[in-house]
Amino acid sequence: MKKIMLLICLCIFAYAANAQQKNILSGTVKDTENHPIPVVSIQVLNSNLTAVTNINGDFELKGLPSGNLTLRFSAIGYATILKTVTGNAQALSVVLQDANVKLDEVTVSAQKTDENVQNVPFSISALSATKVNDYRIQNTRDLAAIIPNLYSSNPGDGRNVTSIRGIGTTSYDPAVATYIDGVNQFSLDTYIASLFDVERIEVLRGPQGSLYGRNAMGGVINIITKQPTNYTTGFAGIDIGNYGQQRYSLGLRTALINDKLFLGVAGQFNKQDGFYVNEFSNSKFDKLNGFLGNYYLKFQASSKFALTLNVKHNNNRNNGTFPLVGSIADALANPFKLNQNAETKMVDNLFNASLSTNYSGESVNFSSQTAYQSNYRFYKKPIDGDFSPIDGVSIINNYGKDWNKVQVYTQEIKFNSPIATSTKLKWLAGAYGFYQHNPVKQGTYFGADAAMLGAPFPNFTSLNTNTSKSFGLAAFGQASYSLTAKLIATLGLRYDYEHKKQQALGEFIMDGMDPMVTQNDTSATANFKAFSPKVSLAYAIDHHHHVYANYSKGYRSGGLTQLGSDPSVLPLISYKPEYSNNYEVGSKNTFFDNRLVLNVAAFYVRLDQAQVPVLILPDAVTITRNAGKLTSKGIEVELNARPVKGFNVDYNFGFNEAKYTALQLPQNGQMVNLNGNRQVFTPNLTSMLALQYNYVVDEKSKLNVIIRGEWSFTGDQFFDLSNKIEQKGYDILNGKIGFSHKRFDLFFWGRNIADTRYVDYAYDFGASHLGNPKTYGLSLTGRF
């Protein structure tokens, strides 16, 4: 019986791999002066079909299904366009315009199928590879202010806290989900924040639970890296700057076997001498270096079936993980100087691997992605827990490879309607599952000066072991139906189930003595489930103007509290899931043959069972509680324009009022009413204006002189729920000047040119980390 089943499976696979339609699409791509354009990338959206033009601008696509198809044409120096064609044999003539004249037509996969960003019925910002380079986005935290109502920062350890529209991360389960090449970066411990070799970045604002699940309360950051094709391409880059900044990158994408087997390899090494000086040792404090790798191996069995193996890793070493001082006042009065008696090196090894299967059929498309993530992070020596020169408190977590190594397994399968369909209905359905293992062992050492921090006596360790295991299953679906030629209704629904188990053990260790158990080895479990619906209506006034309205429900899973050194805070207490009701209306518009794009949105969010973080000192364990209700409302504007040849204007604006309508928290042994207080890590305004002028020196080689300036404004915000730790609004100026050629870029750049002093991150007990000072440098990138 097993042999028969195996034979049937092999026959099905062989059929799927070899069955092809005979439709062939050929054509030529030229510029506006009728010159052929070589090396134009052509992609059939939502399929494995790709092609590249030859020296005469000719291309050919084989095995196309019958029906309407959308093709994407892109080349360096030209505006990307989308064309809808019929998959029957025909000759196609395509004209690309200079990128200095026309904006790109942007493709996104926000709804897990490729489509024009202007057709997506909710707020989404899309940054192409060119935009990523223009803005010098090298980390996900650099998206702050570039995207309306998005704020992101970290205290120096590389784990970004990101909020969108007042919905922010309050625990190790993020409120804004990050996906890289389709893989959910599951928690703050396992996501890769560094960016390079990026094809595009999509930022989906508002809850995306119906398709993305449990932790997409505030939105989704969807990152897609560049993939190999038949045409061999490569790059090499060098960045150098003040404060010892160095960045070296190298990559190659090629076909090992044309149309069958493709390889992509890219690597980046970076280092920095650090911005802070430790006055305790009179030395640089936050020196760091890291290596990031991205590797692809793709097997194209046929025009319909493909397998892709993708491996990523990020190895970071940081000599001064938490450059913090005691208060905002101290940080601003004595900038980039601190005084800590304990110095250590953080070792951070992130690994991410996925295997994806994609099948494009006549009646259905199918995809599957299996992924594994891990991160082993520890400090070689104890890290300063009081951020001062006294021998007060230090944190120990170097207990061997069995501890503090997070591992996550995820699996997603998806079915959707075929790429070529003439029906009014488009649908998608799938399932998702995960398993996470998170063994945490951390010691809080109270040294000789511990009495100054309230400890009863010195020289002891509070050792806490928290081991958590969780798994979850979800089913999701979405369908869009054309009620009329101009009106489309979309309905989405997701069901999530999650089981969590946590085990806790507490020990007390006096120096030179055996451990004593303070919390018996015990465990607790909790189950959570939720439905996440979504409804939207989109109306096309015409091909260039769309309006929409939608409702969605957000969901973030509950959990179990950790064991900390404070005996008054009980461990293994469950907290409830967080829910939100979200309403949005918006308009998306293009004018003047895609020379101007203007998108506007207004939103209202009502959040219940708000998960509020309570920091337990001195071991910096965050206890999460359901303590309030929140409302968030605001507007967003995005404008992109090419008013004249070579001149580009990008402007983004966000207004966000996020306040707690009910918030009761314990402070100093009593409950305090904080109703009306503003949400943390949520500036009331964000704004970004970028102006760039490209002067064409040589049209044929695409040699341009480029001058660019950026102004951003981040409004007033608070870092604590009591609204006592505040950063007033501040401006940042960036700029660059240099040359761009189809084979190289050379730029001199500067960031925070006015050397603005501001607090980028602060804990609710006051410890503060400044935003980066004025930096400048030189970047050289070569392409072949």
Side-chain angles (χ1 to χ4, degrees):
M1 185 65 182
K2 290 183 179 179
K3 291 182 179 179
I4 294 174
M5 292 299 296
L6 179 60
L7 180 61
I8 293 173
C9 291
L10 289 173
C11 290
I12 293 173
F13 179 85
Y15 176 80
N18 291 290
Q20 297 187 35
Q21 294 295 309
K22 301 301 182 181
N23 294 331
I24 298 174
L25 176 66
S26 61
T28 303
V29 182
K30 296 182 179 181
D31 62 19
T32 53
E33 296 182 358
N34 207 35
H35 297 139
I37 307 176
V39 200
V40 178
S41 295
I42 301 119
Q43 178 192 4
V44 181
L45 298 190
N46 300 301
S47 79
N48 299 309
L49 297 168
T50 61
V52 177
T53 58
N54 61 21
I55 194 171
N56 297 315
D58 299 326
F59 70 91
E60 186 177 77
L61 285 163
K62 298 179 180 180
L64 274 71
S66 300
N68 293 331
L69 305 170
T70 302
L71 275 61
R72 178 177 181 266
F73 295 83
S74 61
I76 294 175
Y78 296 91
T80 298
I81 66 169
L82 301 174
K83 273 192 169 295
T84 300
V85 301
T86 301
N88 298 322
Q90 58 179 287
L92 186 66
S93 179
V94 178
V95 176
L96 297 185
Q97 294 192 45
D98 193 303
N100 288 326
V101 174
K102 187 177 180 180
L103 295 168
D104 290 331
E105 295 184 39
V106 179
T107 302
V108 296
S109 53
Q111 300 190 96
K112 299 200 173 184
T113 56
D114 297 332
E115 58 188 321
N116 190 327
V117 66
Q118 292 299 99
N119 296 336
V120 178
F122 56 81
S123 294
I124 174 174
S125 300
L127 300 171
S128 66
T130 300
K131 291 288 187 183
V132 170
N133 290 331
D134 287 343
Y135 281 111
R136 284 186 58 80
I137 301 173
Q138 300 180 351
N139 191 287
T140 55
R141 70 173 178 271
D142 297 333
L143 294 170
I146 295 175
I147 307 299
N149 288 324
L150 183 149
Y151 184 78
S152 186
S153 66
N154 69 68
D157 69 343
R159 292 183 288 200
N160 295 340
V161 172
T162 301
S163 70
I164 296 178
R165 294 181 171 178
I167 309 300
T169 298
T170 57
S171 65
Y172 286 103
D173 282 333
V176 176
T178 300
Y179 281 72
I180 303 179
D181 293 325
V183 178
N184 181 8
Q185 308 300 288
F186 197 79
S187 72
L188 290 185
D189 284 315
T190 55
Y191 86 112
I192 298 175
S194 297
L195 299 173
F196 89 116
D197 200 28
V198 170
E199 176 67 28
R200 70 179 183 274
I201 300 174
E202 306 168 4
V203 181
L204 291 59
R205 300 190 295 281
Q208 309 296 325
S210 60
L211 288 181
Y212 291 92
R214 58 199 289 278
N215 288 333
M217 280 279 290
V220 173
I221 299 173
N222 193 20
I223 300 163
I224 296 93
T225 60
K226 295 179 180 178
Q227 298 191 29
T229 63
N230 272 337
Y231 193 83
T232 298
T233 61
F235 68 92
I238 299 175
D239 291 69
I240 56 174
N242 60 337
Y243 294 99
Q245 296 180 86
Q246 299 177 52
R247 196 169 185 250
Y248 307 95
S249 55
L250 186 67
L252 174 69
R253 293 180 290 273
T254 189
L256 300 178
I257 303 174
N258 276 355
D259 299 320
K260 289 295 181 184
L261 189 62
F262 307 90
L263 175 69
V265 178
Q268 174 194 281
F269 173 79
N270 66 279
K271 64 179 298 186
Q272 179 181 295
D273 286 344
F275 302 121
Y276 279 81
V277 173
N278 188 0
E279 294 181 322
F280 186 86
S281 59
N282 194 30
S283 63
K284 285 287 187 180
F285 182 77
D286 52 334
K287 296 177 65 174
L288 56 87
N289 65 78
F291 180 75
L292 178 64
N294 185 22
Y295 316 100
Y296 273 101
L297 187 63
K298 181 177 180 180
F299 174 56
Q300 186 82 42
S302 72
S303 62
K304 296 185 176 184
F305 185 79
L307 288 170
T308 303
L309 175 66
N310 183 213
V311 175
K312 295 178 171 65
H313 64 88
N314 192 10
N315 305 100
N316 298 304
R317 304 295 181 265
N318 190 334
N319 295 301
T321 309
F322 294 98
L324 297 161
V325 295
S327 68
I328 284 183
D330 291 341
L332 295 174
N334 199 20
F336 301 104
K337 293 183 180 179
L338 49 78
N339 199 336
Q340 297 185 18
N341 67 310
E343 296 187 23
T344 186
K345 175 185 284 189
M346 180 190 77
V347 177
D348 190 34
N349 294 321
L350 289 141
F351 181 81
N352 190 322
S354 65
L355 178 64
S356 301
T357 303
N358 290 280
Y359 172 72
S360 301
E362 290 297 315
S363 57
V364 67
N365 285 359
F366 168 77
S367 65
S368 169
Q369 186 177 69
T370 306
Y372 168 76
Q373 302 167 56
S374 71
N375 181 28
Y376 179 41
R377 171 186 288 228
F378 67 94
Y379 307 105
K380 288 192 170 183
K381 297 178 181 178
I383 191 168
D384 201 318
D386 51 64
F387 313 116
S388 73
I390 69 171
D391 182 16
V393 173
S394 54
I395 308 299
I396 310 164
N397 78 338
N398 188 3
Y399 290 100
K401 292 186 177 181
D402 292 335
W403 300 102
N404 304 306
K405 182 177 181 179
V406 184
Q407 298 182 81
V408 181
Y409 302 85
T410 60
Q411 173 67 54
E412 182 176 87
I413 58 173
K414 175 172 63 74
F415 298 87
N416 61 283
S417 52
I419 61 173
T421 178
S422 57
T423 66
K424 295 182 178 181
L425 178 67
K426 294 183 179 180
W427 58 270
L428 178 151
Y432 174 81
F434 75 87
Y435 171 79
Q436 181 189 37
H437 180 221
N438 187 9
V440 177
K441 193 170 188 177
Q442 180 170 296
T444 304
Y445 181 74
F446 295 82
D449 300 322
M452 297 175 64
L453 301 174
F457 42 80
N459 303 322
F460 70 94
T461 301
S462 174
L463 181 60
N464 301 312
T465 304
N466 293 279
T467 302
S468 65
K469 296 179 181 180
S470 60
F471 70 85
L473 297 170
F476 59 88
Q478 181 168 296
S480 296
Y481 186 77
S482 298
L483 299 173
T484 69
K486 294 186 174 184
L487 182 63
I488 298 176
T490 301
L491 175 64
L493 183 65
R494 185 185 185 102
Y495 175 76
D496 281 278
Y497 169 80
E498 187 166 339
H499 173 83
K500 289 188 176 183
K501 179 179 180 179
Q502 185 157 302
Q503 192 171 349
L505 170 66
E507 297 173 282
F508 173 84
I509 308 172
M510 286 294 298
D511 287 0
M513 298 179 64
D514 293 332
M516 293 186 299
V517 174
T518 57
Q519 168 68 57
N520 289 325
D521 192 353
T522 186
S523 64
T525 61
N527 300 313
F528 308 100
K529 55 187 178 181
F531 283 99
S532 302
K534 177 181 180 179
V535 181
S536 73
L537 285 174
Y539 182 75
I541 300 171
D542 56 36
H543 182 68
H544 302 291
H545 305 281
H546 301 76
V547 293
Y548 65 87
N550 64 53
Y551 161 79
S552 57
K553 187 171 185 178
Y555 161 71
R556 178 160 46 164
S557 175
L560 294 162
T561 59
Q562 300 182 61
L563 173 66
S565 62
D566 186 347
S568 67
V569 180
L570 297 177
L572 306 181
I573 302 299
S574 65
Y575 53 91
K576 298 176 182 179
E578 189 176 64
Y579 299 96
S580 66
N581 290 289
N582 306 263
Y583 306 87
E584 180 181 328
V585 294
S587 173
K588 297 188 174 186
N589 309 276
T590 59
F591 303 90
F592 312 120
D593 191 26
N594 213 46
R595 287 175 170 81
L596 172 65
V597 173
L598 175 64
N599 297 335
V600 181
F603 62 89
Y604 175 80
V605 181
R606 188 176 69 248
L607 188 147
D608 295 317
Q609 297 292 344
Q611 294 177 6
V612 174
V614 179
L615 188 67
I616 305 300
L617 296 176
D619 43 358
V621 172
T622 297
I623 303 299
T624 303
R625 293 172 173 164
N626 300 102
K629 296 182 179 181
L630 177 81
T631 62
S632 178
K633 55 189 175 183
I635 58 173
E636 295 163 349
V637 178
E638 294 182 285
L639 181 148
N640 308 104
R642 297 273 199 279
V644 296
K645 182 177 180 179
F647 185 53
N648 184 70
V649 179
D650 292 327
Y651 178 67
N652 301 310
F653 172 82
F655 165 75
N656 193 183
E657 183 182 273
K659 292 184 177 181
Y660 283 93
T661 57
L663 182 60
Q664 306 284 329
L665 284 179
Q667 291 183 1
N668 301 319
Q670 60 182 355
M671 296 300 294
V672 177
N673 186 343
L674 300 178
N675 294 0
N677 280 19
R678 283 175 46 190
Q679 174 68 303
V680 296
F681 296 105
T682 303
N684 60 349
L685 292 174
T686 60
S687 186
M688 165 67 78
L689 174 65
L691 304 176
Q692 181 168 307
Y693 181 69
N694 294 19
Y695 175 76
V696 180
V697 177
D698 182 70
E699 186 72 41
K700 184 176 181 180
S701 66
K702 298 298 177 184
L703 177 62
N704 295 333
V705 175
I706 297 177
I707 302 174
R708 180 181 179 86
E710 298 168 4
W711 165 81
S712 70
F713 177 77
T714 302
D716 301 346
Q717 67 170 313
F718 294 95
F719 298 105
D720 67 321
L721 293 170
S722 297
N723 286 183
K724 295 178 180 178
I725 303 175
E726 181 182 10
Q727 170 61 58
K728 291 292 187 179
Y730 56 90
D731 304 272
I732 298 293
L733 297 176
N734 303 324
K736 71 176 185 179
I737 184 171
F739 299 92
S740 179
H741 183 273
K742 65 181 179 180
R743 294 299 182 191
F744 71 88
D745 293 330
L746 176 63
F747 287 102
F748 176 75
W749 51 266
R751 300 183 68 82
N752 191 10
I753 296 171
D755 207 19
T756 301
R757 295 284 187 262
Y758 63 98
V759 170
D760 185 55
Y761 187 99
Y763 285 103
D764 60 4
F765 61 93
S768 303
H769 174 241
L770 292 179
N772 292 349
K774 176 173 64 178
T775 57
Y776 52 86
L778 192 69
S779 297
L780 173 63
T781 302
R783 293 180 289 269
F784 62 87

